[in-house]
Each structure stands twice: as structure tokens, then as C-alpha cells.
Amino acid sequence: MGSLCIIAAIPARFYAPGKRCSTMQVLHHTQSVREALKAHRVGGRRIGFVPTMGNLHRAHIELVKIAQSRCDVVVVSIFVNPLQFGLHEDWDKYPRTYAADTAKLRDANCDYLFYPDEQEIYPNGMAEQTRVVVPAMTDTLCGASRPGHFEGVTTVVSKLFNIVQPDEAVFGIKDFQQLALIRRMVEDLCIPIEIVAGEIFREADGLALSSRNSFITAEERPRAAQLNQSLNWIGEQIGAGQRDFAALEAAARQQIEAAGFRPDYVSVCNSRTLQPAADDDSDITVLGAMYTSAARLIDNISLSL
Ligand code: PAF
């Protein structure tokens, strides 16, 4: 297509995945998102949504491709959500790479970028913001060391869902606890959005792609896949019949320490509830987090026994 692209006038059957308009529109306000998407909704087009905090890498673009393969119109949001960062966390240092991000999204033929500022998302201030909490899984695992983090995530994601009102939303499995919380929120609050999971993308040595990898120093980088190696080691032990999960978790923490990092947690969990796994659980996810000198990295592997 040329640069003139009147999406609203194209009947749904001609606006199929793969035949996309390459002129991405950048929208800053809730009202403009609603207006832009209205014609698509009326036209019966399926709307896919990929919420992000920017600093986009290959894994984000893969989420956009998943949305494109399933939907007619794809919206990506970039908002570095202050509500999900703790007092001593890295909100101010979080990489803001708007020019590079928009170029990547245009290359990927994304249809709309929603890029609001803080005032647009929290017009009444953060302190007074109504919160959405998923009590069952908010305070465990990553939530234990990041108080308030998941409350900030579920609150902003429900706001973004209400602004975009997509048919589907795509989230990466790397943030397994976040994905589980959002699935639970959607179920508990009867939100009519299908949640789709995108696989973890890894560097050649197994390090999961993450926006925070840019904080890993050159000296640390050769050892940074240790978290993944330790989770895989636990997977092999469980596959071989080992069921003393506490012993496996302790051994994995020691491996991480021996590689020069500070483990936050390593936990063998029931994949659905994220509670510690029972001996006879068949769907298990092993989750872990560790600190490098300037980053907190997370990873997980899932096992079907
Ligand atoms: O995974 C992220 O990037 C963020 O937690 C999300 C889902 C965009 C909410 O701010």
C-alpha cells in the first residue's frame, strides 16, 4: 500500500493479516484510541493488543507478529508505568528508546502505537488511583521482593484494556507470574479479552531476552545464563524422578551464588496456582530470579510430567 491508507473504509475481508497498512499511527490520548478503533470494531475487525514498556527487542516484535497472525488490527502500547516500580527500583533509569521503538514497530507493520504520558494514565495522581489486585498470586515469588509491583501491573493493564478494548492481548511467557496474574484477573473480573502467550526468546547461551539485559556488564555477561542453566538442571532432576523440590531449589541457589550472582528465589511451582508444587503435580513451572550488579533477571521453564 502507498502512504495514503484509509483503514476505516476497507471492508474486513480485504483487511486481512499479511495485507497491512505500513503507516503506523501514533496516538497519545484515550479518546483518540477509541475514535481510531471504532471503525475497525464496527467493521467486525479483530483487534489485537501488545502492552509494553518500550525498549523493544526481538521478543516484543514476535509478540506483535503473534497478534498480527491472529487479528486484523494490532495496537502496541508503550508506557513505563511508575505504579509498578518500587521506591528503590529503576523507573528513572529504565531505558526510554522511543525513536528506535517506533522504527521497529513501523518495520513490523504495526497499525497503532498508543504512547500516553503519565497524566493521561493517572489524571488523578497515583496515590488516589483505584487499584486492581489479584490476591492469590500477588505477594509470592517476584511479588515477595517487589512489594506493590503486581498491583501496579494489574492496575495499569486493566486501564489499558479499558482504553483499547481489544479482542485479544499478547503477553510474553518470560514474565510467567505476570501472565498468570493477568489470566486470573481476566477470569475473576469477566473481562472479555482472550489472553495469548508468546514464547521466551533466548540468546545462544540460554539467557532470556529482556529489556533489562542492557544493564548486565560485559564482565558479567558470560555468566549471566546461569539462572537458565540452573532452572534447566532442576528440570532434568525432576525428569529423572527427583521430588525433593526444596533440596533442588537450595542447590540451584548455590549454583547461582557460585557464578557470582545473588539469587532472589528459585521455586518449583504448580503452573496454574503458582503455589509450591506437590509431588504428584503434572504441570510444573520452575521460576527463578537473580540479581546481577545492576539488574534483576527472571526466567522460568515449564514441565509436563
Ligand atoms: O511486561 C511489561 O512490559 C509490563 O509489566 C506491562 C505488562 C506492559 C505493564 O506495564
PDB file of all heavy atoms in Angstrom, residues 90-105:
ATOM      1  N   ASP A  90      14.144   0.848  39.445  1.00  0.00           N
ATOM      2  CA  ASP A  90      14.845   1.586  38.395  1.00  0.00           C
ATOM      3  C   ASP A  90      13.927   2.332  37.416  1.00  0.00           C
ATOM      4  O   ASP A  90      14.229   2.416  36.248  1.00  0.00           O
ATOM      5  CB  ASP A  90      15.754   0.610  37.633  1.00  0.00           C
ATOM      6  CG  ASP A  90      14.996  -0.608  37.102  1.00  0.00           C
ATOM      7  OD1 ASP A  90      13.787  -0.719  37.388  1.00  0.00           O
ATOM      8  OD2 ASP A  90      15.601  -1.438  36.405  1.00  0.00           O
ATOM      9  N   TRP A  91      12.815   2.891  37.909  1.00  0.00           N
ATOM     10  CA  TRP A  91      11.894   3.583  36.996  1.00  0.00           C
ATOM     11  C   TRP A  91      12.610   4.716  36.234  1.00  0.00           C
ATOM     12  O   TRP A  91      12.465   4.849  35.021  1.00  0.00           O
ATOM     13  CB  TRP A  91      10.693   4.161  37.769  1.00  0.00           C
ATOM     14  CG  TRP A  91       9.740   4.882  36.865  1.00  0.00           C
ATOM     15  CD1 TRP A  91       8.788   4.331  36.084  1.00  0.00           C
ATOM     16  CD2 TRP A  91       9.688   6.299  36.626  1.00  0.00           C
ATOM     17  NE1 TRP A  91       8.130   5.294  35.357  1.00  0.00           N
ATOM     18  CE2 TRP A  91       8.672   6.513  35.670  1.00  0.00           C
ATOM     19  CE3 TRP A  91      10.399   7.395  37.119  1.00  0.00           C
ATOM     20  CZ2 TRP A  91       8.344   7.781  35.204  1.00  0.00           C
ATOM     21  CZ3 TRP A  91      10.068   8.660  36.656  1.00  0.00           C
ATOM     22  CH2 TRP A  91       9.054   8.837  35.700  1.00  0.00           C
ATOM     23  N   ASP A  92      13.398   5.514  36.956  1.00  0.00           N
ATOM     24  CA  ASP A  92      14.057   6.649  36.296  1.00  0.00           C
ATOM     25  C   ASP A  92      15.162   6.190  35.351  1.00  0.00           C
ATOM     26  O   ASP A  92      15.478   6.861  34.377  1.00  0.00           O
ATOM     27  CB  ASP A  92      14.597   7.654  37.332  1.00  0.00           C
ATOM     28  CG  ASP A  92      15.402   6.973  38.418  1.00  0.00           C
ATOM     29  OD1 ASP A  92      15.260   5.741  38.585  1.00  0.00           O
ATOM     30  OD2 ASP A  92      16.193   7.660  39.082  1.00  0.00           O
ATOM     31  N   LYS A  93      15.741   4.999  35.647  1.00  0.00           N
ATOM     32  CA  LYS A  93      16.844   4.511  34.787  1.00  0.00           C
ATOM     33  C   LYS A  93      16.320   3.619  33.667  1.00  0.00           C
ATOM     34  O   LYS A  93      17.075   3.212  32.790  1.00  0.00           O
ATOM     35  CB  LYS A  93      17.831   3.696  35.628  1.00  0.00           C
ATOM     36  CG  LYS A  93      18.638   4.519  36.602  1.00  0.00           C
ATOM     37  CD  LYS A  93      19.853   3.716  37.082  1.00  0.00           C
ATOM     38  CE  LYS A  93      20.234   4.058  38.503  1.00  0.00           C
ATOM     39  NZ  LYS A  93      19.402   3.387  39.514  1.00  0.00           N
ATOM     40  N   TYR A  94      15.035   3.271  33.724  1.00  0.00           N
ATOM     41  CA  TYR A  94      14.507   2.333  32.732  1.00  0.00           C
ATOM     42  C   TYR A  94      14.706   2.933  31.324  1.00  0.00           C
ATOM     43  O   TYR A  94      14.335   4.094  31.092  1.00  0.00           O
ATOM     44  CB  TYR A  94      13.014   2.061  32.991  1.00  0.00           C
ATOM     45  CG  TYR A  94      12.536   0.824  32.290  1.00  0.00           C
ATOM     46  CD1 TYR A  94      12.658  -0.422  32.890  1.00  0.00           C
ATOM     47  CD2 TYR A  94      12.005   0.899  31.010  1.00  0.00           C
ATOM     48  CE1 TYR A  94      12.257  -1.569  32.234  1.00  0.00           C
ATOM     49  CE2 TYR A  94      11.602  -0.240  30.349  1.00  0.00           C
ATOM     50  CZ  TYR A  94      11.727  -1.467  30.967  1.00  0.00           C
ATOM     51  OH  TYR A  94      11.336  -2.602  30.299  1.00  0.00           O
ATOM     52  N   PRO A  95      15.298   2.181  30.391  1.00  0.00           N
ATOM     53  CA  PRO A  95      15.642   2.784  29.090  1.00  0.00           C
ATOM     54  C   PRO A  95      14.405   3.284  28.331  1.00  0.00           C
ATOM     55  O   PRO A  95      13.438   2.546  28.152  1.00  0.00           O
ATOM     56  CB  PRO A  95      16.297   1.625  28.327  1.00  0.00           C
ATOM     57  CG  PRO A  95      16.605   0.583  29.337  1.00  0.00           C
ATOM     58  CD  PRO A  95      15.671   0.775  30.485  1.00  0.00           C
ATOM     59  N   ARG A  96      14.442   4.561  27.932  1.00  0.00           N
ATOM     60  CA  ARG A  96      13.388   5.142  27.077  1.00  0.00           C
ATOM     61  C   ARG A  96      13.993   5.267  25.675  1.00  0.00           C
ATOM     62  O   ARG A  96      14.915   6.074  25.479  1.00  0.00           O
ATOM     63  CB  ARG A  96      12.970   6.523  27.572  1.00  0.00           C
ATOM     64  CG  ARG A  96      11.808   6.519  28.568  1.00  0.00           C
ATOM     65  CD  ARG A  96      12.285   6.331  29.960  1.00  0.00           C
ATOM     66  NE  ARG A  96      11.261   6.626  30.959  1.00  0.00           N
ATOM     67  CZ  ARG A  96      11.354   6.222  32.220  1.00  0.00           C
ATOM     68  NH1 ARG A  96      12.376   5.500  32.634  1.00  0.00           N
ATOM     69  NH2 ARG A  96      10.405   6.538  33.088  1.00  0.00           N
ATOM     70  N   THR A  97      13.489   4.481  24.740  1.00  0.00           N
ATOM     71  CA  THR A  97      14.121   4.404  23.410  1.00  0.00           C
ATOM     72  C   THR A  97      13.053   4.612  22.333  1.00  0.00           C
ATOM     73  O   THR A  97      12.900   3.782  21.429  1.00  0.00           O
ATOM     74  CB  THR A  97      14.795   3.021  23.246  1.00  0.00           C
ATOM     75  OG1 THR A  97      13.835   2.001  23.582  1.00  0.00           O
ATOM     76  CG2 THR A  97      15.986   2.857  24.161  1.00  0.00           C
ATOM     77  N   TYR A  98      12.329   5.730  22.471  1.00  0.00           N
ATOM     78  CA  TYR A  98      11.156   5.957  21.623  1.00  0.00           C
ATOM     79  C   TYR A  98      11.473   5.896  20.129  1.00  0.00           C
ATOM     80  O   TYR A  98      10.755   5.232  19.365  1.00  0.00           O
ATOM     81  CB  TYR A  98      10.530   7.313  21.980  1.00  0.00           C
ATOM     82  CG  TYR A  98       9.346   7.660  21.122  1.00  0.00           C
ATOM     83  CD1 TYR A  98       8.111   7.044  21.337  1.00  0.00           C
ATOM     84  CD2 TYR A  98       9.450   8.579  20.086  1.00  0.00           C
ATOM     85  CE1 TYR A  98       7.024   7.335  20.535  1.00  0.00           C
ATOM     86  CE2 TYR A  98       8.363   8.876  19.275  1.00  0.00           C
ATOM     87  CZ  TYR A  98       7.159   8.256  19.515  1.00  0.00           C
ATOM     88  OH  TYR A  98       6.083   8.533  18.714  1.00  0.00           O
ATOM     89  N   ALA A  99      12.559   6.559  19.694  1.00  0.00           N
ATOM     90  CA  ALA A  99      12.843   6.614  18.249  1.00  0.00           C
ATOM     91  C   ALA A  99      13.111   5.207  17.703  1.00  0.00           C
ATOM     92  O   ALA A  99      12.547   4.797  16.667  1.00  0.00           O
ATOM     93  CB  ALA A  99      14.029   7.529  17.980  1.00  0.00           C
ATOM     94  N   ALA A 100      13.943   4.456  18.415  1.00  0.00           N
ATOM     95  CA  ALA A 100      14.253   3.096  17.958  1.00  0.00           C
ATOM     96  C   ALA A 100      13.004   2.217  18.022  1.00  0.00           C
ATOM     97  O   ALA A 100      12.753   1.392  17.117  1.00  0.00           O
ATOM     98  CB  ALA A 100      15.363   2.501  18.813  1.00  0.00           C
ATOM     99  N   ASP A 101      12.202   2.392  19.065  1.00  0.00           N
ATOM    100  CA  ASP A 101      10.990   1.561  19.217  1.00  0.00           C
ATOM    101  C   ASP A 101      10.001   1.813  18.069  1.00  0.00           C
ATOM    102  O   ASP A 101       9.451   0.872  17.493  1.00  0.00           O
ATOM    103  CB  ASP A 101      10.285   1.873  20.549  1.00  0.00           C
ATOM    104  CG  ASP A 101      11.085   1.377  21.754  1.00  0.00           C
ATOM    105  OD1 ASP A 101      12.040   0.604  21.553  1.00  0.00           O
ATOM    106  OD2 ASP A 101      10.747   1.773  22.883  1.00  0.00           O
ATOM    107  N   THR A 102       9.773   3.098  17.761  1.00  0.00           N
ATOM    108  CA  THR A 102       8.806   3.384  16.695  1.00  0.00           C
ATOM    109  C   THR A 102       9.313   2.848  15.349  1.00  0.00           C
ATOM    110  O   THR A 102       8.536   2.329  14.552  1.00  0.00           O
ATOM    111  CB  THR A 102       8.492   4.892  16.573  1.00  0.00           C
ATOM    112  OG1 THR A 102       9.709   5.606  16.611  1.00  0.00           O
ATOM    113  CG2 THR A 102       7.586   5.374  17.666  1.00  0.00           C
ATOM    114  N   ALA A 103      10.637   2.945  15.133  1.00  0.00           N
ATOM    115  CA  ALA A 103      11.192   2.416  13.870  1.00  0.00           C
ATOM    116  C   ALA A 103      10.932   0.906  13.796  1.00  0.00           C
ATOM    117  O   ALA A 103      10.526   0.387  12.748  1.00  0.00           O
ATOM    118  CB  ALA A 103      12.679   2.721  13.791  1.00  0.00           C
ATOM    119  N   LYS A 104      11.156   0.205  14.900  1.00  0.00           N
ATOM    120  CA  LYS A 104      10.947  -1.253  14.898  1.00  0.00           C
ATOM    121  C   LYS A 104       9.477  -1.593  14.662  1.00  0.00           C
ATOM    122  O   LYS A 104       9.156  -2.543  13.943  1.00  0.00           O
ATOM    123  CB  LYS A 104      11.401  -1.858  16.236  1.00  0.00           C
ATOM    124  CG  LYS A 104      12.918  -1.907  16.361  1.00  0.00           C
ATOM    125  CD  LYS A 104      13.340  -2.426  17.730  1.00  0.00           C
ATOM    126  CE  LYS A 104      14.836  -2.182  17.897  1.00  0.00           C
ATOM    127  NZ  LYS A 104      15.303  -2.315  19.251  1.00  0.00           N
ATOM    128  N   LEU A 105       8.601  -0.811  15.273  1.00  0.00           N
ATOM    129  CA  LEU A 105       7.165  -1.099  15.108  1.00  0.00           C
ATOM    130  C   LEU A 105       6.708  -0.794  13.683  1.00  0.00           C
ATOM    131  O   LEU A 105       5.891  -1.518  13.114  1.00  0.00           O
ATOM    132  CB  LEU A 105       6.344  -0.301  16.131  1.00  0.00           C
ATOM    133  CG  LEU A 105       6.540  -0.748  17.583  1.00  0.00           C
ATOM    134  CD1 LEU A 105       5.842   0.196  18.545  1.00  0.00           C
ATOM    135  CD2 LEU A 105       6.022  -2.178  17.786  1.00  0.00           C
TER     136      LEU A 105
END
